[in-house]
Amino acid sequence: MDKFTTLTAVAAPLNVANVDTDKIIPARFLKTIKRTGLGKSLFADMRYNADGSEKADFVLNQEKYRKAQILVAGDNFGCGSSREHAPWALLDFGIRCVIAPSFADIFFNNCFKNGILPIRLPEDVCAKLMDDAALGTNARLTVDLERQVVVRPNGEEFAFNVDPFRKHCLLNGLDDIGLTLEHTAAIDAYEARQPAWQPKIHGA
Amino acid sequence: MPRTLFDKIWDAHVVDRLEDGTCVLYIDRHLVHEVTSPQAFEGLRMAGRKVRRVENTIAVVDHNVPTDADRLKGVNEPESKLQIETLEQNVAEFGVTYFPMSDARQGIVHVVGPEQGISLPGMTIVCGDSHTSTHGAMGALAFGIGTSEVEHVLATQTLLQKPAKNMLVRVDGKLAPGVTGKDIVLAIIGKIGTAGGTGHVIEFAGEAIRSLDMAGRLTVCNMAIEAGARAGLIAPDETTFEYIKGRPFAPQGQDFEAAVAYWKTLPSDEGAQYDKVVVLDAAEIAPEVTWGTNPEAVIPITGTVPNPADEPDEAKRGQMERMLSYMDLKPGQKIAGTKVDVVFIGSCTNSRIEDLRQAAAVAKGKHVAPGVRALVVPGSGLVKKQAEDEGTAQILIDAGFEWREAGCSMCLGMNPDKLTPGQRCASTSNRNFEGRQGPGGRTHLLSPGMAAAAAVTGVLTDVRELI
């Protein structure tokens, strides 16, 4: 997983509430056995016409947002399915940070596993960032994870919260599995004290 | 201190605690399917890791599989075929128990788990699928995870988690005839919204919930995720124990008695505290139907489509207008009488034998309306067989329904069962998102009885007029 420290980039405004995972990546694109290559299908139904041509009014089809690395979004972003294809598609497109007033839990969690930083900020703050994002390449936002601030183009800063453990993992690009395996002795001990009636699934 | 059902299951599974309060949480059951697992097995392989506990793990194909009678001759769609074959290679390589399409036990992962006695009270259950919340009806803490976490559970049999908040949704009183678990959960989501449960585990309680059979309870917990909750839970009781007894993977004999003794300690203690409490009156719940493109956009079948002009919030008004335009509905129109093109009875929400019986009771002696395509997709091969043995299937077939093989089918548009653009579908599934059942498709969520009523009349219909 790539580290996330500081990011200064163009932010794309997507001022829509309840952007669900089927919008982020429709189910027909989940038939892959890889993590990469999903960026072209990101927001497919919002982004392309039925004949595959681009919808000119969709934000990521506008020249100034083609290289956006930050997405400023509406309430309850990422609701719906647990598909990690949603953060994979964002990442493959180049998005490393999503800012919104609220997120669905599973999506929020999945972002951290892929080096994407989801930031919750109050609605009025998101509205200001949405305005900045509307200026395209003229107004880059800076996200500083170490200091836990989003910096507007005018220098104004907004502090955000992030779970200390997740922050540590993102800053260092750490893989959870390696960390958990340090608890193997405790897992062994837990399994040893499971009740005798607890059934096992064996090839049947 | 009095504890909730959630607190008790959580406490019993904490293996270790990190400094910041993150817990290493033990996972008793890991359900695996073809869509969200290939990258996880690949990760294990690249790191040289094994599946820590194959005896806690079960795999099944469901999302991608065709549901036509000829499917054992081969899967035509090359990408689906690759995902299915990849799962088959992975389970063979890592030694995981697997139900392939040719096995009568194959079906939708959230139907198979309870049906086989794999999902049991007091357990932690995960799957790379958000509708894992379904298994909460067994009195288990069950939730959906992403593929990175699938790999994490395969490698360590644990997850790194922080406890959720407790929310109680109590449904008091008795349900009216024709009103089901599906209507209860749609009414709940209508009340609290699609983000109403965010950060919480919802415990469903009250007389109306207690009175549901296991199929109804599974339906309610299935859609807890549609209210944004991490999981849904229903305390295990005699209905639960009776359901579990004798199922293939459940404890048997003395082990069963020991298990029941433990399960009886699980219900929330008197005086346990919840962070949020919501109360509904069952008598006020009618057969429900969604009109928009998220599950909170729901009204009783007797209702009218809301008018965006009545919505003071500008952003919400815009969203309503977009939903009405997508759904091709007019403000103020009666929802009953809306013409449908397709009826889908199936999905992890409503494909159990009890659901199919509800549909058959309505369809018996009638016929699917001209121009309507109606599909019934049993949740598992065993549900299919039971329906065929007892005559439920024949009633539906005689009424003109397609009778298909088990799978996720038209719930999510990633197998051959899809809506075409503009088609309107009365569906017993769980998500009415834009394009969910196929690009441009329009979904109305409702109960199996309501779906059957729509099939035989050709329009959205109050099921109570037909029973």
Side-chain angles (χ1 to χ4, degrees):
Chain A
M1 185 173 91
D2 286 342
K3 290 180 189 181
F4 188 110
T5 51
T6 300
L7 172 69
T8 297
V10 171
L14 185 65
N15 196 6
V16 181
N18 297 309
V19 172
D20 57 69
T21 48
D22 281 85
K23 280 206 185 79
I24 299 172
I25 182 136
R28 61 187 183 278
F29 300 111
L30 309 188
K31 297 182 193 185
T32 170
I33 57 170
K34 294 192 237 156
R35 283 180 163 91
T36 52
L38 292 165
K40 61 180 184 298
S41 311
L42 177 69
F43 296 122
D45 291 340
M46 300 167 87
R47 194 167 151 202
Y48 304 112
N49 294 305
D51 65 1
S53 61
E54 289 186 353
K55 294 182 181 176
D57 59 346
F58 184 68
V59 61
L60 297 182
N61 292 334
Q62 296 167 28
E63 219 41 56
K64 56 192 174 187
Y65 297 118
R66 285 191 192 274
K67 294 199 170 150
Q69 290 180 276
I70 299 169
L71 190 67
V72 186
D75 250 332
N76 200 26
F77 188 81
C79 58
S81 122
S82 65
R83 61 187 69 158
E84 203 155 315
H85 309 69
W88 292 340
L90 286 164
L91 189 67
D92 196 57
F93 179 88
I95 303 288
R96 292 294 310 275
C97 174
V98 185
I99 302 172
S102 63
F103 292 88
D105 285 331
I106 304 177
F107 174 83
F108 189 76
N109 195 26
N110 280 340
C111 282
F112 287 100
K113 313 284 181 193
N114 292 283
I116 297 176
L117 174 62
I119 299 176
R120 287 191 198 106
L121 283 170
E123 255 177 67
D124 58 324
V125 172
C126 286
K128 287 181 184 172
L129 298 176
M130 199 70 79
D131 290 344
D132 290 337
L135 302 171
T137 44
N138 297 321
R140 283 163 212 270
L141 298 179
T142 295
V143 177
D144 185 334
L145 177 57
E146 182 61 57
R147 292 174 53 230
Q148 293 183 218
V149 289
V150 177
V151 189
R152 297 181 72 187
N154 68 6
E156 188 181 3
E157 295 190 348
F158 298 115
F160 62 86
N161 289 319
V162 58
D163 181 274
F165 175 70
R166 286 165 156 168
K167 177 180 176 179
H168 173 75
C169 291
L170 269 186
L171 283 173
N172 298 289
L174 294 177
D175 157 26
D176 284 358
I177 295 177
L179 293 169
T180 300
L181 288 173
E182 292 171 13
H183 299 268
T184 298
I187 301 170
D188 289 342
Y190 182 91
E191 285 176 344
R193 57 174 194 267
Q194 286 193 312
W197 58 261
Q198 186 98 304
K200 294 181 166 65
I201 304 169
H202 280 304
Chain B
M1 209 174 90
R3 291 185 300 164
T4 63
L5 169 58
F6 166 72
D7 297 337
K8 291 181 192 184
I9 301 175
W10 180 272
D11 292 348
H13 289 84
V14 173
V15 170
D16 228 340
R17 266 192 186 84
L18 312 187
E19 270 173 36
D20 74 332
T22 301
C23 294
V24 180
L25 193 73
Y26 195 77
I27 302 302
D28 294 315
R29 290 288 181 258
H30 187 189
L31 318 173
V32 174
H33 67 84
E34 77 277 20
V35 178
T36 56
S37 68
Q39 296 87 349
F41 282 111
E42 180 65 12
L44 286 189
R45 201 175 287 120
M46 277 161 39
R49 291 172 178 143
K50 293 188 161 87
V51 174
R52 182 182 168 92
R53 293 269 282 194
V54 288
E55 61 267 46
N56 291 30
T57 315
I58 179 112
V60 64
V61 276
D62 56 6
H63 283 61
N64 265 329
V65 298
T67 62
D68 60 284
D70 287 344
R71 67 180 184 172
L72 290 181
K73 290 183 190 155
V75 175
N76 292 327
E77 217 276 310
E79 288 172 308
S80 294
K81 186 164 184 267
L82 178 63
Q83 259 186 351
I84 293 167
E85 286 173 355
T86 302
L87 180 66
E88 294 185 342
Q89 286 159 13
N90 285 329
V91 295
E93 179 181 341
F94 290 91
V96 172
T97 301
Y98 169 60
F99 297 160
M101 266 192 285
S102 56
D103 190 316
R105 299 170 297 179
Q106 179 267 340
I108 307 172
V109 64
H110 308 308
V111 173
V112 171
E115 180 175 85
Q116 290 294 318
I118 288 168
S119 311
L120 297 171
M123 284 184 161
T124 47
I125 303 174
V126 299
C127 173
D129 189 284
S130 58
H131 292 112
T132 308
S133 62
T134 311
H135 309 259
M138 307 301 300
L141 176 60
F143 52 93
I145 56 177
T147 299
S148 295
E149 290 187 317
V150 170
E151 184 181 340
H152 194 283
V153 176
L154 289 172
T156 71
Q157 207 52 48
T158 66
L159 277 175
L160 295 172
Q161 291 270 313
K162 280 196 169 160
K165 291 185 204 152
N166 279 289
M167 179 167 176
L168 177 71
V169 173
R170 212 179 65 220
V171 187
D172 292 335
K174 291 188 167 54
L175 288 175
V179 180
T180 66
K182 183 62 162 283
D183 304 300
I184 294 181
V185 73
L186 285 171
I188 292 169
I189 298 165
K191 186 174 171 101
I192 69 175
T194 52
T198 303
H200 294 74
V201 166
I202 300 179
E203 181 178 339
F204 299 97
E207 185 188 352
I209 300 289
R210 291 258 78 84
S211 72
L212 294 174
D213 59 18
M214 287 313 294
R217 295 179 185 189
L218 288 158
T219 302
V220 170
C221 287
N222 173 272
M223 290 191 70
I225 183 68
E226 308 312 330
R230 293 218 191 146
L233 273 173
I234 295 175
D237 60 10
E238 290 304 325
T239 304
T240 324
F241 309 146
E242 194 52 40
Y243 174 91
I244 294 167
K245 197 171 185 177
R247 294 197 178 256
F249 289 84
Q252 312 287 339
Q254 287 191 340
D255 281 346
F256 182 75
E257 299 309 320
V260 169
Y262 171 63
W263 295 340
K264 284 183 173 170
T265 69
L266 291 171
S268 296
D269 297 327
E270 192 79 30
Q273 294 296 307
Y274 294 86
D275 300 282
K276 242 187 201 180
V277 177
V278 174
V279 180
L280 280 82
D281 179 0
E284 288 175 10
I285 302 175
E288 305 279 321
V289 56
T290 61
W291 59 268
T293 56
N294 68 45
E296 77 178 58
V298 67
I299 48 176
I301 183 66
T302 50
T304 53
V305 174
N307 191 342
D310 300 334
E311 172 57 57
D313 183 272
E314 191 187 328
K316 283 187 189 157
R317 190 162 61 238
Q319 200 190 1
M320 284 172 77
E321 282 164 358
R322 185 180 160 83
M323 291 201 286
L324 288 178
S325 153
Y326 184 86
M327 292 298 292
D328 191 27
L329 294 171
K330 300 275 175 296
Q333 84 174 70
K334 284 194 157 176
I335 196 74
T338 307
K339 197 176 168 308
V340 301
D341 305 298
V342 178
V343 172
F344 171 57
I345 298 174
S347 87
C348 56
T349 316
N350 280 125
S351 62
R352 299 175 182 84
I353 189 69
E354 295 83 349
D355 299 314
L356 306 190
R357 287 176 189 153
Q358 281 176 33
V362 173
K364 188 168 188 174
K366 302 187 180 69
H367 203 275
V368 172
V372 174
R373 180 187 179 202
L375 305 77
V376 184
V377 184
S380 73
L382 294 177
V383 170
K384 179 169 185 269
K385 183 172 185 307
Q386 186 177 359
E388 287 168 352
D389 291 348
E390 71 181 24
T392 299
Q394 200 56 48
I395 293 172
L396 292 163
I397 294 165
D398 289 345
F401 287 80
E402 294 176 27
W403 181 247
R404 303 183 71 90
E405 301 292 323
C408 295
S409 185
M410 203 182 268
C411 176
L412 86 169
M414 68 179 299
N415 56 66
D417 305 340
K418 279 181 211 164
L419 295 180
T420 56
Q423 276 190 326
R424 186 181 299 282
C425 179
S427 176
T428 66
S429 56
N430 41 55
R431 287 198 177 124
N432 50 349
F433 298 161
E434 285 183 24
R436 169 81 179 181
Q437 295 190 288
R442 300 179 175 124
T443 304
H444 294 277
L445 302 177
L446 32 59
S447 71
M450 286 282 286
V456 297
T457 59
V459 295
L460 296 176
T461 299
D462 191 336
V463 64
R464 294 171 297 189
E465 293 167 10
L466 299 182
I467 52 176

